[in-house]
Amino acid sequence: MYNCKPISFNSIDGYIYNGLLFEAEQSKTTVIHVHGSCGNARSFHAILDLAQIYQHSGINLLTFDLKGHDCIAEGNWNTGKFEYIGGSVVNFNECINDIKSAISFCNNFSERIILQGHSMGCERVLTYQIDTKNFYDTILISPCNAYELQSRFIYPERVSEQIDRIKKLDKNILLENEYGIKNQNENYTIPIYRDAFLAIATGNAFSLFNTKNPKKFFIPKRCLCCIGSEDALQTSTPKEMFKTISSNFNSFTSSIFDCNHEFDNCGFDLGHQIINWLSK
């Protein structure tokens, strides 16, 4: 049984975010879940399992739609402004203000906040902390090497060549076959506009988990990183990914699960692992 309510909160410029708040009775600890590329508040398959485990353990869970939710979506501001948003449209770095706004909302009822990312949500929670220098204990679920995934998708062209070619385009046009996944048994295209693609390809999203040439950063907090052994979006072994991430935190804990990218049928196991980590 979930104690869940739909919520909305505003950014500084009046953009209206929507989400779900799973409240534990009299809890002052909140996990903020940040979804992946073109995902949304409910897209992570294990989110309801985590909500149940968190509530039972006295922890709140906020999951919300970032400006980059889904591919194309309707965006509304409290000023009456309207425009189309979504993962195929907005600049990746909008996640900084998204997460800042969520933290501001949760500060109204929380004394402790933990940031949790799934898939490209992992790059988003790290980008927020690196940019703002506001640090939080961090949960990374299914982080992937986005650069290597793009390299495999666009092969035989190199990513650097692709970036140079797309930069030369005069207009912010829709790119229909330039971005996507082609790895193991996954093969699909993600439509994306020129400017949104370049924000991903030239920023943190392509560098933080690049196992061959990772970006250097340090977050003086704890990190729990969880990867499924059957994750079809992984381009290296979980141990290689853990090695890439581990030195960037004050304390690092890792765990491998027998599951896929979405933690299907492993949500409760994941939740218990997270609760055990949070309690230490």
Side-chain angles (χ1 to χ4, degrees):
M1 192 70 177
Y2 302 103
N3 180 16
C4 173
K5 65 180 181 182
I7 53 89
S8 62
F9 55 93
N10 297 341
S11 65
I12 294 175
D13 69 351
Y15 177 78
I16 303 171
Y17 295 96
N18 296 296
L20 297 172
L21 178 62
F22 298 86
E23 291 183 293
E25 187 174 356
Q26 297 182 332
S27 176
K28 296 295 183 180
T29 299
T30 302
V31 173
I32 298 175
H33 176 78
V34 177
H35 63 72
S37 174
C38 299
N40 56 57
R42 285 286 308 275
S43 59
F44 179 38
H45 293 185
I47 195 67
L48 293 181
D49 293 340
L50 294 187
Q52 183 173 335
I53 296 296
Y54 290 178
Q55 283 188 315
H56 186 264
S57 303
I59 295 174
N60 306 315
L61 172 65
L62 170 68
T63 181
F64 71 107
D65 292 336
L66 284 73
K67 282 185 182 176
H69 74 89
D70 301 293
C71 283
I72 302 286
E74 296 182 347
N76 293 282
W77 281 252
N78 60 11
T79 59
K81 175 183 174 182
F82 166 86
E83 68 180 47
Y84 282 100
I85 57 169
S88 297
V89 179
V90 304
N91 188 302
F92 174 83
N93 287 325
E94 285 284 349
C95 68
I96 297 169
N97 194 51
D98 295 336
I99 297 171
K100 179 180 179 181
S101 300
I103 291 172
S104 178
F105 170 72
C106 291
N107 278 336
N108 293 318
F109 53 86
S110 307
E111 295 177 356
R112 182 188 182 191
I113 290 174
I114 300 95
L115 296 182
Q116 172 179 293
H118 171 248
S119 196
M120 193 171 279
C122 297
E123 285 96 335
R124 286 168 164 158
V125 298
L126 296 185
T127 294
Y128 167 79
Q129 295 180 79
I130 293 168
D131 183 84
T132 65
K133 301 297 187 292
N134 294 319
F135 303 118
Y136 296 85
D137 284 347
T138 303
I139 302 165
L140 303 178
I141 304 170
S142 304
C144 301
N145 184 343
Y147 177 86
E148 181 61 26
L149 285 170
Q150 182 63 13
S151 296
R152 297 183 183 191
F153 179 80
I154 205 66
Y155 181 84
E157 186 178 25
R158 294 183 178 181
V159 173
S160 58
E161 296 170 340
Q162 181 194 27
I163 291 172
D164 289 341
R165 174 172 54 80
I166 291 177
K167 280 182 176 179
K168 295 176 183 177
L169 297 175
D170 292 333
K171 298 180 179 180
N172 184 26
I173 62 172
L174 180 66
L175 309 174
E176 296 186 24
N177 298 295
E178 298 281 4
Y179 183 54
I181 301 294
K182 191 181 294 182
N183 192 62
Q184 298 185 45
N185 62 337
E186 298 286 343
N187 190 344
Y188 55 89
T189 299
I190 302 172
I192 192 168
Y193 280 84
R194 170 190 178 272
D195 291 354
F197 171 79
L198 290 175
I200 291 172
T202 61
N204 283 340
F206 271 19
S207 61
L208 290 174
F209 301 135
N210 185 340
T211 55
K212 295 179 180 178
N213 186 28
K215 178 175 180 175
K216 301 297 182 182
F217 65 93
F218 185 72
I219 294 176
K221 290 289 184 176
R222 304 164 64 224
C223 176
L224 171 65
C225 185
C226 301
I227 295 177
S229 60
E230 303 301 318
D231 187 344
L233 299 191
Q234 296 299 323
T235 56
S236 62
T237 66
K239 288 185 178 180
E240 288 175 312
M241 180 60 75
F242 296 150
K243 182 179 179 181
T244 299
I245 302 171
S246 61
S247 62
N248 298 313
F249 288 88
N250 191 50
S251 174
F252 182 80
T253 302
S254 61
S255 187
I256 301 173
F257 292 78
D258 184 19
C259 65
N260 60 14
H261 188 71
E262 295 290 342
F263 277 72
D264 289 321
N265 302 315
C266 288
F268 289 113
D269 292 338
L270 174 64
H272 288 302
Q273 174 72 13
I274 291 171
I275 293 301
N276 288 336
W277 176 78
L278 288 174
S279 65
K280 294 179 181 179

